[in-house]
Amino acid sequence: ELINSLVNRHQMATQAESNLLTSELDALTTIFKTAFAISFLISILVIYVVTRNIRSMVDTLDKNHQDAIKRSEMLQKSSYELAESLDKLQSTQSQLIEYEKMAALGNLVAGMAHEINTPIGVGVMATSHITENTARLEKKFEEGSIKKTDFINYMKDTKEASEIMLMNLKRAADLIRSFKQIAVDQSTEDLREYELCEYLHEVYNSLIPSFKKTKITVNIICHKKIILYSYPGALAQVMTNLMTNSVLHGYDQDQLGTINIKAEQESDSTISLYYQDDGNGMDEKTLSKIFDPFFTTKRGKGGSGLGMHLLYNLVTQKLMGVVKIISRPGEGVQVSITMPNRIERQEQDDE
């Protein structure tokens, strides 16, 4: 009985322990299931939040992409419009430069016509005087009243009139030759060989009417012959613009002045032109804008603002040279132009 009692007690204790262990296992299982469920719910929530954020980011990126496409299209359209405006502006500028050149040629024609009128008029008067004297002598000859003194006076008057007529006709011929050469050069823009100093005098002769009402003296200094093979029309336009600028901007009315133009052969392949006036000069601000298109200090007073811009383009592009300007207020202007004395047609065409 004692043994049975002990066995029963042992079984009961074992059962109690088993029940306790089972209860604890059930509790742990419940806790694990609860933790797993909570963890699963948290994971689902995190995945939802991340997915929503990603979707939001994707939507934002897509919107930004669409905005970028629209901005790109707008920029492309603006760029197209700007390029078109630039082409129109360049075309207009080229036309204005051509108008400037034609205007200069027109002024040359008008001035030359006025200048030629004087020697031609004097020549006509001398011819008329000879005609009248001849008619009077012929009448006396027919009447038989001609005397030796009449013939001597006729010969003297005729000789004087002939000399006056010859001198003025030569002057007119020189003017016409200068005008013809300058006008042809400026209108055709052909390459040809010419002597620099002689050509500079021809350019000045064509501009004499512009200097008629001024007190400006022009000196052209050349120590030896310089033969160029380039574009004389471009050079004529450059020198015309420089001298016209001096007359228009450099000097006040009735102001005494001197313009010196000097040509030098720097090397076998390079020549330099030095242009200097002793006029009013320019301040630093004006000098910094001197080559800008449409910049002028004489707006509405004969200045178009294209003369020096055209000069710069002709020197650097047509004559393949370099131009520099130095000036200070009250100290006049110094311009130096360095360029090759020979331009090959192929090089110019490539340009």
Side-chain angles (χ1 to χ4, degrees), residues 272-286:
S272 291
L273 275 173
Y274 300 99
Y275 179 95
Q276 182 176 10
D277 72 32
D278 57 355
N280 299 324
M282 293 177 282
D283 57 30
E284 189 174 341
K285 182 179 179 181
T286 302

Side-chain angles (χ1 to χ4, degrees), residues 2-208:
L2 180 59
I3 292 170
N4 286 334
S5 175
L6 291 170
V7 169
N8 286 333
R9 285 180 181 177
H10 177 70
Q11 288 177 345
M12 288 175 65
T14 302
Q15 184 65 37
E17 289 178 357
S18 177
N19 288 338
L20 180 62
L21 183 61
T22 301
S23 176
E24 289 177 351
L25 286 172
D26 288 341
L28 287 172
T29 301
T30 301
I31 292 171
F32 177 76
K33 287 181 178 179
T34 302
F36 178 78
I38 292 172
S39 177
F40 180 74
L41 287 173
I42 291 173
S43 298
I44 293 295
L45 182 61
V46 169
I47 291 172
Y48 171 74
V49 172
V50 171
T51 302
R52 190 175 64 178
N53 288 339
I54 291 174
R55 184 176 293 115
S56 176
M57 290 173 63
V58 169
D59 290 342
T60 301
L61 288 172
D62 184 62
K63 183 181 178 183
N64 290 340
H65 179 65
Q66 294 298 326
D67 291 343
I69 291 175
K70 289 180 180 179
R71 284 197 298 270
S72 177
E73 290 175 350
M74 290 175 64
L75 286 172
Q76 188 174 9
K77 183 180 179 182
S78 298
S79 177
Y80 216 53
E81 291 174 350
L82 285 172
E84 192 175 38
S85 299
L86 181 61
D87 288 341
K88 289 181 179 178
L89 181 62
Q90 289 175 339
S91 176
T92 302
Q93 184 175 326
S94 298
Q95 290 178 6
L96 287 172
I97 288 175
E98 287 302 315
Y99 293 155
E100 175 80 6
K101 291 167 69 175
M102 290 300 104
L105 194 56
N107 291 335
L108 175 64
V109 172
M112 190 57 62
H114 178 75
E115 188 68 16
I116 290 175
N117 187 59
T118 300
I120 293 296
V122 172
V124 169
M125 287 178 62
T127 305
S128 176
H129 181 68
I130 291 174
T131 302
E132 290 175 359
N133 283 350
T134 302
R136 281 197 293 269
L137 186 67
E138 184 180 13
K139 183 178 180 181
K140 287 184 178 182
F141 176 75
E142 290 175 350
E143 292 174 349
S145 60
I146 188 170
K147 300 176 183 178
K148 183 178 180 180
T149 55
D150 293 332
F151 187 73
I152 291 173
N153 289 335
Y154 171 78
M155 293 296 293
K156 182 181 177 181
D157 288 347
T158 301
K159 183 180 179 181
E160 290 177 355
S162 297
E163 288 174 351
I164 292 172
M165 188 167 55
L166 180 61
M167 181 178 64
N168 281 275
L169 288 178
K170 282 181 67 177
R171 171 63 179 159
D174 290 341
L175 289 170
I176 291 170
R177 184 176 64 253
S178 297
F179 164 73
K180 180 181 177 182
Q181 191 60 69
I182 301 301
V184 168
D185 286 336
Q186 290 193 29
S187 61
T188 60
E189 297 186 349
D190 284 339
L191 274 169
R192 71 176 179 87
E193 186 175 273
Y194 59 98
E195 204 281 311
L196 177 59
C197 297
E198 182 181 326
Y199 196 73
L200 290 174
H201 280 94
E202 289 184 357
V203 174
Y204 170 64
N205 287 339
S206 70
L207 293 173
I208 285 177

Side-chain angles (χ1 to χ4, degrees), residues 260-301:
N260 291 320
I261 303 171
K262 186 178 181 181
E264 289 187 356
Q265 182 84 49
E266 299 292 344
S267 68
D268 291 340
S269 59
T270 306
I271 68 104
S272 291
L273 275 173
Y274 300 99
Y275 179 95
Q276 182 176 10
D277 72 32
D278 57 355
N280 299 324
M282 293 177 282
D283 57 30
E284 189 174 341
K285 182 179 179 181
T286 302
L287 186 61
S288 67
K289 297 180 179 180
I290 192 67
F291 294 130
D292 291 355
F294 310 114
F295 173 75
T296 178
T297 58
K298 294 284 187 179
R299 183 74 64 192
K301 297 180 181 179

